[in-house]
Structures are given as structure tokens and as C-alpha cells.
Amino acid sequence: MNQNLADELVTMMTEDQRLLQQLFDSGELPSESYHPRMKALHEHNASRLKAIIDGHGWPGISLVGEEAAKAAWLVAQHSVSDLEFMAECAFLLENAVAKKDVAGWQLAFLQDRLRTLSGKPQYYGTQFDVDENGWPTPFPIEGAAAVNERRERLGLNSLEERLEQMTEQERKRRANIEPTS
């Protein structure tokens, strides 16, 4: 295992999540536009991941361990300024999933993110919007009748279970911010 590379990837993920939380805590997120500090960090991390891929191929579990492989996925997932790079990462993840070198859910999330950003229906039902009342609702799904079979193949729970989890998270969030009488 390449420990230096693993540490670098985990640091990128930690910084991403730290900045995200900081922007939420300060009230700067959510916002209608891509926050410039978040965009800059995502683009910096994507550039570094490109160099890592050029030198080592996809950083899967065999190269960097499970946590750093997840970190590489997160960097790819947040590379929304470069859909071509996201597509390249999705292709590399397909091969890594086939070799059992990354978790299947990573491929599902990245492919769905790429499809929704490209204006196409998602395939695995991992990407959600909110309805007019602020409740989670999945973006359109191609072949929705078979979505749970596809989700199961990649280790995900059913779409109905995921929707219930997200709805419950939103209920708890609302309970924490709404004043009690």
C-alpha cells in the first residue's frame, strides 16, 4: 500500500468536508451558485487526482486502502467543473468495481451525478432534489422499474429505503431548527 498517497487523499477529503461544514455553519451554504471557495478547492483536488491517476491508475483499495479509495471517489464526485474528467473517473471506477478494488456504491453515485449534471436521467437513484415542500425526491431515473435490482448489484439498499432514510434525516433536521411551543 502507498501510505503517502493514502494520507494525501484522506487529507483532501478531510479538507473538502471541513470547508463544506464551515460554509454551512457560516450560512454561506446552501446557495444558488457554486461557492467560489468550494469551487476552488474542488478544482485543486481534481487537478491533483488527475496527476495521481496519471502516475498510478485509479487509487483503489489495493493501492491506498479503503478510506483513501473513498477519498479519491469523493474528489471525483466533486469534480463538477470538469464533466470529462468525471466521465474518465467513472470508467476507471467501473474497472475497479469489476476487480473488487472499490466499493460498488462509489460507481453508482459517480455515474448518477455525471448523468444528472449532463441533463440525463440517473440510473441508480442516488441523486436527490427537494420537492416544493423541501422533502427529498429522486431526480428522474432511467428504467425506474429495475432500479432496485441495479442498486442491489452495487451494494445499495432499495430506493424506497434510501428515500425513507433521507426523509427521516430531514424530519430530524426540521425538529432541531423549528421552535417548540
Side-chain angles (χ1 to χ4, degrees):
M1 184 168 108
N2 186 325
Q3 191 61 52
N4 289 337
L5 201 52
D7 292 344
E8 182 180 2
L9 286 163
V10 169
T11 296
M12 285 193 282
M13 177 173 66
T14 302
E15 285 300 306
D16 178 290
Q17 296 301 286
R18 184 196 58 74
L19 179 57
L20 184 65
Q21 188 62 52
Q22 180 184 36
L23 294 173
F24 269 111
D25 291 348
S26 71
E28 295 178 66
L29 287 178
S31 71
E32 292 297 315
S33 60
Y34 198 0
H35 194 285
R37 287 176 56 206
M38 199 87 250
K39 181 180 182 193
L41 180 64
H42 288 164
E43 289 175 353
H44 169 79
N45 286 349
S47 176
R48 181 60 190 127
L49 181 58
K50 286 177 189 177
I52 290 168
I53 290 169
D54 286 346
H56 302 276
W58 184 260
I61 296 167
S62 61
L63 178 65
V64 295
E66 197 169 330
E67 186 71 4
K70 178 183 171 186
W73 161 80
L74 183 82
V75 170
Q77 185 79 356
H78 289 172
S79 299
V80 296
S81 295
D82 189 346
L83 297 184
E84 189 177 308
F85 176 61
M86 285 180 82
E88 178 187 332
C89 290
F91 175 77
L92 294 170
L93 273 173
E94 273 187 78
N95 293 330
V97 167
K99 296 177 194 169
K100 300 188 181 333
D101 200 27
V102 297
W105 63 263
Q106 295 174 4
L107 176 61
F109 275 83
L110 187 60
Q111 282 186 339
D112 278 356
R113 167 77 54 99
L114 184 59
R115 290 177 69 94
T116 58
L117 289 172
S118 300
K120 298 175 186 169
Q122 59 181 328
Y123 198 61
Y124 296 99
T126 64
Q127 303 298 293
F128 285 74
D129 199 0
V130 291
D131 67 16
E132 62 278 354
N133 297 313
W135 294 102
T137 184
F139 280 105
I141 301 169
E142 181 180 304
V147 70
N148 285 331
E149 294 168 29
R150 293 189 299 266
R151 289 175 65 88
E152 186 179 351
R153 279 197 303 269
L154 292 182
L156 296 166
N157 60 358
S158 74
L159 182 60
E160 294 77 14
E161 290 168 327
R162 181 62 181 140
L163 182 56
E164 181 53 40
Q165 289 171 336
M166 294 184 72
T167 300
E168 185 57 29
Q169 287 173 342
E170 179 58 16
R171 275 192 199 100
K172 288 178 181 174
R173 189 192 71 76
R174 289 179 184 197
N176 286 334
I177 60 170
E178 292 176 3
T180 56
S181 35

